[in-house]
Every structure is written in structure tokens, then in C-alpha cells.
Amino acid sequence: MNITREKIHEILKGYDKKKLKIATICSHTALQIFHGARQEGIKTIGITTEGRKKVYEAFPLGCPDEFIVVDDLRSIPDRELSDENAILVPHGSVVEYSGSKLSSLRVPMLGNRESLAWEKDREKMFKWMTSAGLQVPATIDPDKIDRPCVVKLPGAKGGRGYRVVSTPEEFYEQFEGMNVTVQEYLIGVRVYPHYFYSPLSKEGYRAAEGKLELMGIDRRFESNIDEAYRTDHAGLSFSPSFTVVGNELLVVRESLLEDIMLMGKSMVETADSLFGGIPGPFCLETVCDENLQFFAFEVSARIVAGTNIYPLGSPYTAYLYEEPMSMGRRIAREIKLALRANKLQKIIF
Ligand code: ATP
């Protein structure tokens, strides 16, 4: 059964606030989250399998203060975490491993867990983006494929299994009977801005009742499309695929920042009216075309792996903070600020 916001706040009320900890699964952006919490003086708990523990111990400054060892990362020990006064920070692997269980976990979580349901369901996600006035790629009926399209499998799989098709025949050859989405292929440069929305402060770039910060931008390296020129040069033929392998830094021409900030603001304000808001980190996946128009094809309502490029801050946080500020640290900072102002219930759902 889904846990209510009231129940979470009741659990949070029972917390010993002096012993508040930050917890997450050892995966995705965990090094950054633990590192950032350490910089802000908050203790951390890493949920891990025995084998993975060594990896985190190999990075002492990104290693959690304590581990909870589990056999299967799909079962988050939520009671143990709430007994430890922990706030769970959801990242991509938490969302993927926990699935629908996420909405029933009794451990308080940073951000609005309802927003994670909106990012998981492609129809809802597009409703959110279009209600926010963002331009999006067309979704195409397989029988009417008349241009290059990306065929997407359900869920966040880091692009795994996606293929490009240009005709209904090509589609049915590969995807007959499968539950997939066919989306117009966007041509341009991929731009993935990372935002942080704080309802706690009105200083800075205003959005809803708070402020919006642009924490960084990335672009991804996907196999095999991003090194396709090598395959071409080698005289080999290949079919493009989009499995995410890593991320790289991107700084956009400064005049594009206006649109990037407006898209973020609009997503925050629409989240407010659709499902009660999106405090904390989120990211848009967009393509900027030759006319400098942005088209958004995905939103992640949580910290994204692209932020891992910036453990010591980005070319944008340099103008927001005097000290190195990663997204992981920004999360810990927000928890500290909310605690001080007695407003944890505004950012923890
Ligand atoms: P994640 O949740 O990790 O972001 P995902 O499985 O939801 O991954 P997407 O982010 O939707 O996958 O897409 C993966 C990659 O496929 C994108 O980074 C992009 O390169 C490519 N892609 C997706 N949609 C389009 C599109 N409409 N046009 C062109 N390329 C696209």
C-alpha cells in the first residue's frame, strides 16, 4: 500500500534530528552523494551487496560511514533505515531496483516520491512536459512510421535496446508484439541540464514559491552511436544503438541559458499543480536543433548520473557558490537548511 505524506511526516517527527543521516543504494551517484554529505558534516549509510562494498571502500572520500549489507539491492531495508534516522536519496538505481515498492517505503525520502511515478510512466511524463509548454518529439503509431524514429523499451534502461527504424516493416521485423514507444528521431545536439529546485529560499532565479539553480549540463556517450565515425572509417556497417556508457561536460552558448532556465521553471511550476511539486534535483533530456529550438524527450525527477562529472562543482555552480558544490553536496546542504529552518516537511515526502 502507498504510504501517505502524513505518515512519512509522522515518522520524520519521531527522528532524532541531531543524528540525521543520508542513505542511498551504492550505485549510480552514490559516491557523489556520500562525498557531498561528508562535506556538509552529515553521516551516511550505503546499502550494498557484500561484493560491491569493496568498490566504495576504494574511494575513502566517497565511502559511506556505515554499510547495510543486503543480498538483493531490490529490497531496501526501510525499517532499519528509519530506525537509523536516515533520509533516503533516490537516484536512478533506487528507482529502477525498487520499482513500484518505492511508493510504500516507510523511510522518509528527499523530494516528492509522487514525481518518480510521473517520470516512470512515459504518458504522464509527456503530459508533464507538454503542460509545461515544452516542445516534445512526436509519438508515432507503428503503422504510420514515415520518418526516422527511435523505438524505446519501457522503463529507464539507459537507452539499452533502443533502435532506429524508418518504416513500419522495419519496426515489425524487430519489435512485433512488444510493448514499446515509437518516437520521432530528433536531430541536433543533446543537452541535459541538471536543475535543483529549492522551495526554501526566494533569492536568485525565482520558480514557484522558491528558487531554481542550474547545477550543470552534460551530454552522454552512448554505444555505439557516439563513436560511429570510427566504425564508418573502419569500413564496417553497424546499426546504431544508444546504451549509455558515460557522460561528458557540456557548456552551452550563453544566450541559450534563458530558454534552459525557463524550461526548468516551467517544469517546477507545472509539477506544483500536477502532483504537489518537485523539491530537490531533476534533469531534462533535450535536443537543441539547428534553429536553436529545444525539444525535450525525457525528465528525470531526481539526481542524474550526468552530475557525476562535477564532484567539485560545474562551470555553472562556479557562479552560484563560493565553494565547490556538487549536486550531492547541494542535496545535503538543502537538508541542513531545512532542518535549521524547521522545514524538513517541505522537502521530504
Ligand atoms: P535514462 O532513463 O537513463 O535516461 P532511458 O532508457 O529512459 O534512459 P532515454 O534517455 O529516453 O533512455 O534515451 C536514451 C538515449 O537515446 C538518449 O540519450 C538519446 O541519445 C537517444 N534518444 C532518445 N530519444 C531520442 C529521440 N527522440 N531522438 C533522438 N535520440 C533520442
Side-chain angles (χ1 to χ4, degrees):
M1 212 174 65
N2 289 0
I3 193 152
T4 60
R5 196 171 169 188
E6 290 69 36
K7 180 72 195 161
I8 288 290
H9 287 166
E10 198 186 305
I11 295 169
L12 196 58
K13 247 192 217 149
Y15 269 25
D16 180 347
K17 305 291 188 316
K18 288 197 193 82
K19 293 188 180 156
L20 216 59
K21 293 175 187 167
I22 285 179
T24 199
I25 291 182
C26 289
S27 182
H28 196 263
T29 37
L31 286 169
Q32 193 202 140
I33 292 168
F34 299 142
H35 181 240
R38 172 171 277 115
Q39 286 172 312
E40 293 296 306
I42 301 180
K43 296 275 184 227
T44 52
I45 303 174
I47 304 149
T48 184
T49 52
E50 191 58 49
R52 208 174 268 200
K53 205 170 143 188
K54 293 182 206 65
V55 176
Y56 285 79
E57 285 167 342
F59 297 97
L61 301 182
C63 186
D65 295 295
E66 299 162 43
F67 286 104
I68 297 180
V69 178
V70 293
D71 292 332
D72 184 348
L73 292 172
R74 280 174 297 191
S75 40
I76 289 186
D78 58 345
R79 273 185 192 274
E80 212 173 327
L81 289 175
S82 54
D83 288 348
E84 288 286 333
N85 304 295
I87 292 171
L88 181 70
V89 175
H91 54 47
S93 304
V94 173
V95 173
E96 193 54 21
Y97 291 144
S98 310
S100 54
K101 279 186 280 178
L102 210 57
S103 42
S104 57
L105 292 180
R106 49 169 283 121
V107 56
M109 226 183 259
L110 175 90
N112 178 358
R113 59 182 89 190
E114 184 65 20
S115 69
L116 298 170
W118 280 71
E119 78 153 51
K120 261 179 104 68
D121 177 330
R122 209 166 263 140
E123 228 171 85
K124 282 185 161 171
M125 183 173 82
F126 269 72
K127 180 171 176 204
W128 180 7
M129 296 192 295
T130 49
S131 308
L134 271 55
Q135 303 188 90
V136 299
T139 301
I140 312 240
D141 180 328
D143 291 325
K144 299 196 176 125
I145 296 173
D146 57 355
R147 63 195 104 163
C149 291
V150 196
V151 184
K152 301 187 168 192
L153 305 179
K157 303 261 182 303
R160 194 166 297 158
Y162 289 13
R163 286 281 178 269
V164 177
V165 298
S166 300
T167 61
E169 292 70 34
E170 271 181 68
F171 172 85
Y172 286 114
E173 222 170 78
Q174 300 177 59
F175 297 101
E176 176 89 67
M178 288 171 74
N179 169 24
V180 292
T181 305
V182 183
Q183 210 170 72
E184 167 187 29
Y185 188 91
L186 298 166
I187 298 175
V189 173
R190 286 161 304 137
V191 179
Y192 301 166
H194 321 143
Y195 302 96
F196 190 94
Y197 169 61
S198 170
L200 303 179
S201 163
K202 294 190 194 318
E203 280 162 29
Y205 187 90
R206 292 295 312 272
E209 58 168 322
K211 69 167 173 183
L212 182 70
E213 296 167 24
L214 179 67
M215 300 293 293
I217 303 177
D218 80 294
R219 201 170 75 139
R220 293 168 163 187
F221 268 121
E222 288 161 3
S223 187
N224 51 29
I225 188 142
D226 283 318
E227 300 246 13
Y229 66 96
R230 285 172 55 91
T231 318
D232 268 347
H233 287 333
L236 306 171
S237 71
F238 73 105
S239 106
S241 58
F242 302 87
T243 309
V244 179
V245 175
N247 305 77
E248 62 180 337
L249 183 151
L250 184 71
V251 174
V252 293
R253 50 194 290 180
E254 206 156 300
S255 54
L256 291 176
L257 288 179
E258 188 177 352
D259 281 349
I260 289 180
M261 295 307 288
L262 279 173
M263 286 193 293
K265 174 184 165 73
S266 189
M267 287 299 281
V268 167
E269 292 173 353
T270 309
D272 257 8
S273 59
L274 287 177
F275 51 83
I278 181 169
F282 68 99
C283 172
L284 281 173
E285 293 181 32
T286 74
V287 165
C288 185
D289 74 6
E290 61 184 336
N291 301 314
L292 301 180
Q293 294 287 307
F294 285 97
F295 290 83
F297 58 88
E298 174 126 346
V299 48
S300 300
R302 45 156 175 92
I303 185 169
V304 290
T307 60
N308 283 340
I309 312 168
Y310 308 117
L312 297 176
S314 80
Y316 296 102
T317 56
Y319 310 122
L320 286 167
Y321 293 94
E322 301 275 3
E323 69 266 72
M325 186 60 67
S326 67
M327 189 65 96
R329 185 173 186 181
R330 183 66 189 84
I331 289 170
R333 173 75 54 96
E334 188 77 348
I335 291 173
K336 251 169 68 175
L337 291 173
L339 185 61
R340 251 186 239 149
N342 202 15
K343 287 187 173 162
L344 272 176
Q345 75 286 356
K346 266 194 158 330
I347 62 162
I348 310 278
F349 284 38

